[in-house]
Amino acid sequence: MKHIIFDKRLLMLFVLLLLPVTSALSAQGLTAFTVTPTTGGGETYTVTIQILAFMTVLSLLPAALIMTTSFTRIIIVLSILRQAIGTAQTPSNQILLGLALFLSFFIMAPVFNTAYTAGVQPYLDEEMSSEVAFAKASEPFYEFMMNQTREADLIMFSEISGHGQLDPAKKVPFSILLPSFVTSELKTAFQIGFLIFIPFLVIDIVVASVLMSMGMMMLSPMIISLPFKLMLFVLIDGWSLVMGTIASSFYV
């Protein structure tokens, strides 16, 4: 019982000691949202709002990485290659994602460097506002996406959105450029995958024909053709050819 009374007294003393601190904090307050006008007629926000916006952008970063870089084309080509060879889970999904991610970093390195030099570094040095820095940093990505996008896709999405004919003297709105870029990437990825698929398909047809002529209809052609496809892929240095073809298909 004495220990309980002692603990209660110690707790009350601790609460009394904290009262001045809590009252001071409540009197001072925490400014969550403050807008400060700038000399140029714009507005700046408090650091808490900027951090909140930054965290929101980070949550959208995976989608931006997939949709605005070379990642989409690479992962589709690698997936078609694995299916053409006939290996069900070799390489695994984690390995394919890692290959696509690091190859995307290799291809997009000039774009990242230009964006950092033009927008991120001046913003960190407090030489320009966040709006101007974002516009400068997005310019290299805009040029990269425009170089990979087909004109037919731009016209199609422009007509769907009711934007009308695109003026060559003006920049294409990002709302039209993004779906056009993704559609063009899908088309290019499937074209490359089709060319990769043909040699392995020929091997499957030849093996199936030989087995049919020998009367081995109950034997699966995939079991016989898989070693030949692996041997062919290794002899021609297939991984280097595929990676080099994907990397050279971009115009950075």
Side-chain angles (χ1 to χ4, degrees), residues 71-154:
F71 184 86
T72 301
R73 183 188 304 184
I74 298 171
I75 192 61
I76 291 177
V77 172
L78 293 179
S79 300
I80 295 176
L81 172 63
R82 183 177 66 179
Q83 187 175 359
I85 296 176
T87 54
Q89 294 296 328
T90 305
S92 63
N93 294 330
Q94 290 82 0
I95 295 177
L96 290 185
L97 289 173
L99 286 174
L101 183 62
F102 286 108
L103 187 58
S104 298
F105 286 151
F106 170 77
I107 295 172
M108 300 295 296
V111 179
F112 290 153
N113 292 333
T114 305
Y116 181 82
T117 304
V120 179
Q121 187 63 46
Y123 176 73
L124 295 178
D125 295 338
E126 298 182 356
E127 297 178 357
M128 61 178 59
S129 62
S130 58
E131 293 82 3
V132 177
F134 179 78
K136 293 290 185 180
S138 61
E139 280 294 329
F141 291 92
Y142 180 89
E143 294 178 1
F144 171 81
M145 295 169 66
M146 281 294 299
N147 291 333
Q148 314 305 321
T149 306
R150 292 177 170 85
E151 185 178 357
D153 295 328
L154 289 173

Side-chain angles (χ1 to χ4, degrees), residues 73-92 95-96 99 103 189-201 204 222 226 229-230 232-234 236-246:
R73 183 188 304 184
I74 298 171
I75 192 61
I76 291 177
V77 172
L78 293 179
S79 300
I80 295 176
L81 172 63
R82 183 177 66 179
Q83 187 175 359
I85 296 176
T87 54
Q89 294 296 328
T90 305
S92 63
I95 295 177
L96 290 185
L99 286 174
L103 187 58
F190 276 94
Q191 288 176 354
I192 298 175
F194 171 76
L195 297 177
I196 293 175
F197 210 105
I198 290 178
F200 301 104
L201 180 61
D204 288 333
M222 293 295 297
L226 180 58
K229 289 190 288 186
L230 292 176
L232 174 65
F233 193 70
V234 171
I236 64 174
D237 198 7
W239 285 113
S240 298
L241 290 176
V242 170
M243 294 298 181
T245 301
I246 296 175

Side-chain angles (χ1 to χ4, degrees), residues 155 158-159 162-168:
I155 296 175
S158 177
E159 293 176 353
H163 189 270
Q165 294 184 353
L166 297 175
D167 190 357

Side-chain angles (χ1 to χ4, degrees), residues 2-12:
K2 291 182 180 181
H3 291 289
I4 296 177
I5 296 175
F6 178 75
D7 292 339
K8 289 182 178 179
R9 290 176 180 177
L10 186 61
L11 180 61
M12 292 296 295

Side-chain angles (χ1 to χ4, degrees), residues 156-223:
M156 179 186 68
F157 282 100
S158 177
E159 293 176 353
I160 293 174
S161 63
H163 189 270
Q165 294 184 353
L166 297 175
D167 190 357
K170 297 181 180 179
K171 293 181 61 176
V172 178
F174 192 79
S175 59
I176 298 176
L177 176 61
L178 182 57
S180 304
F181 171 74
V182 174
T183 305
S184 297
E185 287 295 286
L186 292 175
K187 291 180 181 179
T188 305
F190 276 94
Q191 288 176 354
I192 298 175
F194 171 76
L195 297 177
I196 293 175
F197 210 105
I198 290 178
F200 301 104
L201 180 61
V202 171
I203 295 178
D204 288 333
I205 294 175
V206 171
V207 171
S209 300
V210 173
L211 291 178
M212 288 289 291
S213 63
M214 296 176 63
M216 298 181 180
M217 293 177 293
M218 301 301 294
L219 183 61
S220 176
M222 293 295 297
I223 300 176

